[in-house]
């Protein structure tokens, strides 16, 4: 018996040590930069914020395991909360009908993704500070081949609006439709840092982003296994930037790295040069079917082209593709290869290029084969009674030098229609002018001719005297 015990002790001393667990099959890289997700990293490093400036501390942790997706059955893009906000302006919705694989978990479903509760690979949370004018991001790659599995960016604009950008790279679609055929980018408006985070997505209403957070599930994103889903938990809390020196310095160091890399590619841009580069990138995407609508809306918003903005939401894919080719060609002199920054210094002048090209296209379509109800209504809404006359519409869009002049031309033409012998034309022009605060006081489009002429004469006389 003692001999057996000795042999067991000897075997224990010579037994190999247990093997170390393999490294996680995913790698997380952090980044930070000035600028936004649309402009990309910029060379200019933001100044440290003074006292009282609010920002966000973002805690991000990644989980890798099987079967996460059933806990969050609703895709991220469903719901009205998905919006794009440009340069702190009013957010608008991106392409409707886009299909992606990112799923959103909140409330009790999100609680199941706590690091302590999930069996599988869990990377410890990492925190970064997002000061106004900066973006922080996390990218997850497969360790084996370096393929990107997911990317998150949190951007805080100068006015305090926070936007979450989610990129789900493409892959082979599984039978559940969890993967997508090409890269999809989603934007989630998180509200204002200054006013308190109040996400506009209905599913995030009442969710405490600081304590419970939210979970994004990238279905089928695990390397090697089709259903080894990747999930990211985000928690966000508002802070006074100056009070978070350690996180601020860490973020600024990452910004400096990005600035150094950006500086090696190009010198710092002026405002005009930045506009040219941003518009040029969006112009190129006009010819890419997967990105054409988002690029169209981006350009229309940047240059203030209201007609194009509305058209981007109502046109079908085929009509938008045809219009996009025309706008792409029309913008060539201003933001094409070799364009100067001064060419794009005035958004209004570029706006009339975009709206003008679209109006001429719609006018030509109206003359040749007629327009569908939606684009016809678009012309009537923006041009009034002029929208019924394609030749006049074409002429005005070619003559206008900027958007203000184009609008004034529409007003002037509708005033002329108040003298039209057709009472329906007079009534439509009068209603359009009244909707824009340009109505002729005392004018009744259905009154007798003498009364109409007297009202118009008195109005013109008063306008001339007021100049």
């Amino acid at each position: 018996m003692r001999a057996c015990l000795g042999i067991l002790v000897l075997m224990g001393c010579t037994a190999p040590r247990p093997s170390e667990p393999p490294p996680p099959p995913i790698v997380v890289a952090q980044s930070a930069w000035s600028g936004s997700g649309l402009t990309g990293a910029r060379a200019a490093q933001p100044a440290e914020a003074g006292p009282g400036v609010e920002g966000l501390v973002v805690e991000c942790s990644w989980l890798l395991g099987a079967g996460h997706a059933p806990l969050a059955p609703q895709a991220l893009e469903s719901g009205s909360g998905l919006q794009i906000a440009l340069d702190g302006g009013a957010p608008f919705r991106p392409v409707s009908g886009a299909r992606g694989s990112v799923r959103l978990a909140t409330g009790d479903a999100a609680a199941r993704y706590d690091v302590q509760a999930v069996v599988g690979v869990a990377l410890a949370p990492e925190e970064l500070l997002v000061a106004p004018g900066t973006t922080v991001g996390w990218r997850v790659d497969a360790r084996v081949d370096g393929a990107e599995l997911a990317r998150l960016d949190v951007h805080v604009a100068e006015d305090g609006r926070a936007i979450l950008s989610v990129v789900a790279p493409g892959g082979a679609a599984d039978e559940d439709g969890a993967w997508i055929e090409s890269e999809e980018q989603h934007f989630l408006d998180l509200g204002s840092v200054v006013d308190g985070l109040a996400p506009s997505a209905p599913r995030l209403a009442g969710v405490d982003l600081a304590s419970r957070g939210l979970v994004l599930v990238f279905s089928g994103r695990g390397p090697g296994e089709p259903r080894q889903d990747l999930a990211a938990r985000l928690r966000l809390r508002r802070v006074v930037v100056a009070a978070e020196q350690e996180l601020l310095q860490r973020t600024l160091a990452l910004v400096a790295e990005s600035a150094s890399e950006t500086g090696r590619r190009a010198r710092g841009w002026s405002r005009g040069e930045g506009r040219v580069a941003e518009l040029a990138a969006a112009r190129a995407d006009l010819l890419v079917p997967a990105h054409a609508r988002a690029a169209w809306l981006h350009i229309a918003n940047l240059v203030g082209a209201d007609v194009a903005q509305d058209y981007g939401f109502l046109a079908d894919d085929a009509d938008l593709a045809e219009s996009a080719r025309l706008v792409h060609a029309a913008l060539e002199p201003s933001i094409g290869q070799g364009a100067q920054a001064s060419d794009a210094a005035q958004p209004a002048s570029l706006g009339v290029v975009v709206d003008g090209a679209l109006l001429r296209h719609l006018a030509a379509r109206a003359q040749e084969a007629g327009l569908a109800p939606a684009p016809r209504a678009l012309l009537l809404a923006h041009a009034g009674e002029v929208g019924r006359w394609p030749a006049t519409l074409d002429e005005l869009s070619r003559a206008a030098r900027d958007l203000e002049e184009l609008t004034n031309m529409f007003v002037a033409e509708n005033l002329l229609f108040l003298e039209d012998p057709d009472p329906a034309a007079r009534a439509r022009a009068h209603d359009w002018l009244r909707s824009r605060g340009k109505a002729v006081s005392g004018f009744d489009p259905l009154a007798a001719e003498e009364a109409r002429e007297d009202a118009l004469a008195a109005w013109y006389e008063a306008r001339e005297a007021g100049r």
Side-chain angles (χ1 to χ4, degrees):
M1 184 68 179
R2 290 180 180 177
C4 291
L5 289 174
I7 292 173
L8 290 174
V9 171
L10 181 61
M11 289 177 62
C13 294
T14 59
R17 297 180 59 186
S19 59
E20 295 290 335
I26 57 177
V27 179
V28 178
Q30 299 182 81
S31 59
W33 58 89
S34 58
S36 70
L38 289 167
T39 63
R42 290 175 171 169
Q45 181 173 336
E48 295 191 20
V53 175
E54 294 193 58
L56 287 179
V57 171
V58 181
E59 176 193 286
C60 180
S61 56
W62 294 88
L63 312 169
L64 184 62
H68 290 337
L71 297 179
Q74 191 169 358
L76 176 61
E77 70 268 19
S78 61
S80 62
L82 272 177
Q83 298 177 342
I84 300 175
L86 302 172
D87 294 335
F92 60 90
R93 296 176 190 170
V95 184
S96 60
R99 182 175 68 89
S101 65
V102 183
R103 304 189 181 193
L104 179 64
T106 58
D108 294 337
R112 304 186 188 186
Y113 290 86
D114 286 335
V115 173
Q116 298 83 356
V118 173
V119 177
V121 177
L123 300 188
E126 291 286 349
E127 286 188 337
L128 284 176
L129 176 63
V130 196
T134 60
T135 303
V136 301
W138 288 266
R139 168 178 167 154
V140 174
D141 298 331
R143 183 180 292 276
V144 178
D145 57 7
E148 182 178 287
L149 302 179
R151 187 163 74 245
L152 302 176
D153 292 329
V154 178
H155 172 68
V156 176
E158 295 290 349
D159 66 350
R161 180 172 293 280
I163 300 294
L164 170 64
S165 164
V166 184
V167 175
D174 64 17
E175 56 187 33
D176 294 329
W179 283 50
I180 51 180
E181 297 299 335
S182 60
E183 182 176 279
E184 292 273 3
Q185 186 167 16
H186 312 282
F187 296 86
L188 191 62
D189 182 8
L190 298 177
S192 171
V193 176
V194 178
D195 299 332
L197 296 178
S200 56
R203 294 196 68 208
L204 291 180
V207 174
D208 186 349
L209 297 180
S211 61
R212 303 297 295 274
L214 57 91
V215 172
L216 301 165
V217 182
F218 298 82
S219 306
R221 285 302 191 276
E225 297 293 335
R227 297 298 303 176
Q228 197 173 26
D229 302 325
L230 180 68
R233 173 185 278 282
L234 287 175
R235 289 189 175 95
L236 304 95
R237 56 185 173 89
R238 298 164 57 201
V239 296
V240 176
V241 173
E244 299 285 343
Q245 283 299 317
E246 182 179 348
L247 286 176
L248 177 60
Q249 293 304 320
R250 188 195 308 174
T251 304
L252 289 178
L254 288 172
V255 171
E257 291 178 14
S258 172
S260 176
E261 183 177 350
T262 304
R264 285 194 295 269
R265 293 195 301 267
R267 62 178 177 80
W269 287 342
S270 68
R271 183 178 182 129
E273 290 169 329
R275 179 179 295 277
V276 169
E278 189 168 359
L279 287 171
R283 173 179 173 267
D285 279 342
L286 285 174
L287 303 183
V288 181
H291 302 152
R293 194 177 300 270
W296 178 281
L297 292 171
H298 188 178
I299 290 173
N301 190 74
L302 282 177
V303 301
D306 291 339
V307 182
Q309 178 86 12
D310 291 345
Y311 183 78
F313 289 110
L314 61 87
D316 60 31
D317 291 342
D319 288 342
L320 184 74
E322 185 179 0
S323 303
R325 288 192 293 270
L326 296 174
V327 169
H328 180 276
L331 286 171
E332 171 69 25
S334 298
I335 59 175
Q337 196 71 24
Q340 300 298 315
S342 58
D343 296 332
Q346 298 298 326
S349 61
L350 282 180
V352 80
V353 172
V354 174
D355 271 354
L358 175 60
L359 290 171
R360 289 190 293 275
H361 169 61
L362 294 179
R365 289 274 302 273
Q367 286 180 313
E368 294 168 2
L371 290 175
R376 186 167 67 248
L378 176 72
L379 293 182
L380 297 178
H382 285 275
E385 190 64 10
V386 181
R388 298 177 181 272
W389 299 84
T392 305
L393 199 63
D394 181 275
E395 180 184 354
L396 297 183
S397 65
R398 294 180 187 277
R401 292 167 295 182
D402 56 38
L403 290 173
E404 183 180 5
E405 186 173 14
L406 180 62
T407 300
N408 290 337
M409 288 179 174
F410 287 156
V411 171
E413 290 293 326
N414 277 276
L415 287 171
L416 292 178
F417 274 107
L418 297 181
E419 304 176 48
D420 196 277
D422 182 3
R426 296 196 302 269
R428 288 190 296 261
H430 175 70
D431 289 344
W432 186 85
L433 289 166
R434 183 175 57 186
S435 69
R436 281 155 178 75
K438 303 290 185 179
V440 174
S441 58
F443 179 83
D444 182 355
L446 302 181
E449 181 178 2
E450 184 177 355
R452 298 197 311 270
E453 290 178 350
D454 289 344
L456 284 172
W459 185 80
Y460 278 116
E461 184 178 349
R463 190 177 70 167
E464 290 296 327
R467 287 184 176 178

